[in-house]
Amino acid sequence: MSARILVVEDEDRIRQFLQRGLTFEGYRVESAADGQEALELARDEPPDLVLLDIMLPGMDGVEVCRRLRSAGEVPILMLTAKEAIEDRVAGLDAGADDYLVKPFAFDELLARVRALLRRAQPTQPQVYRFADLELDTGTRRGRRGDEIFDLTAKEYELLELFMRHPRQVLTRDVIFDRVWNYDFGGESNIIEVYVRYLRQKTEVDEKSRLIHTVRGVGYVLREE
Ligand code: CA
């Protein structure tokens, strides 16, 4: 079964071009001209990948991205205008997996699409490793050295986020988005609480700290 791609673009010419080109490549393509329509289509039948223009009427691409991301793990490739670096950053912060600057070559777009679909493939359990820390997505348990530990649902999600982005500073906003989906306000100390839980579990027997606080910003998984 070929992958299903949702194209979100308000400019008719570009949307039709993408739809034709991707269909020709063998993908099943659906398209939406605005964010609302896109979210409805994605809810009715979750796509395998979303191609999302950042400049949309009404709800912009960043907001659409945020909402898609809080609903699931679908790969999102953002299309941004030339030189709009802030858009790019906002898109990545909102959970986009990759971005492409307009105007782009169709071959380049295809290469990115293939890479994202390939990356999304392993729905089989896998084990993330960082230093002597492991996280098994199948059993949803962690291990540090010889010590295996259980995780609650939120602890697991938070640790998985760190393991997927080693050495990257994750801002509090990004952590809220990905793990709590805006259920809590920015004033809440919920992140601190869960980081403390994870440290208790990963620092048994005075093992070195791996989840570090970046003051005023967020947290990072790294070895000192
Ligand atoms: Ca547009």
Side-chain angles (χ1 to χ4, degrees), residues 173-214:
D173 285 349
V174 163
I175 296 173
F176 269 125
D177 280 12
R178 305 289 181 90
V179 178
W180 279 275
N181 303 335
Y182 291 105
D183 290 347
F184 294 88
E187 294 306 306
S188 159
N189 69 340
I190 194 86
I191 298 179
E192 285 68 26
V193 170
Y194 274 83
V195 163
R196 194 158 67 234
Y197 292 157
L198 287 181
R199 283 174 175 164
Q200 280 163 7
K201 293 188 175 186
T202 58
E203 295 173 15
V204 172
D205 296 336
E206 300 186 14
K207 289 197 173 69
S208 62
R209 177 151 292 181
L210 291 177
I211 301 171
H212 297 271
T213 304
V214 181

Side-chain angles (χ1 to χ4, degrees), residues 58-99:
M59 190 191 307
D60 74 4
V62 172
E63 182 57 27
V64 176
C65 181
R66 229 184 271 288
R67 296 195 189 188
L68 285 169
R69 183 49 75 231
S70 65
E73 284 294 304
V74 62
I76 300 170
L77 174 55
M78 280 225 147
L79 305 179
T80 74
K82 209 163 118 198
E83 275 141 28
I85 302 286
E86 325 77 57
D87 283 358
R88 208 176 72 193
V89 172
L92 292 176
D93 276 351
D97 296 280
D98 199 0
Y99 63 88

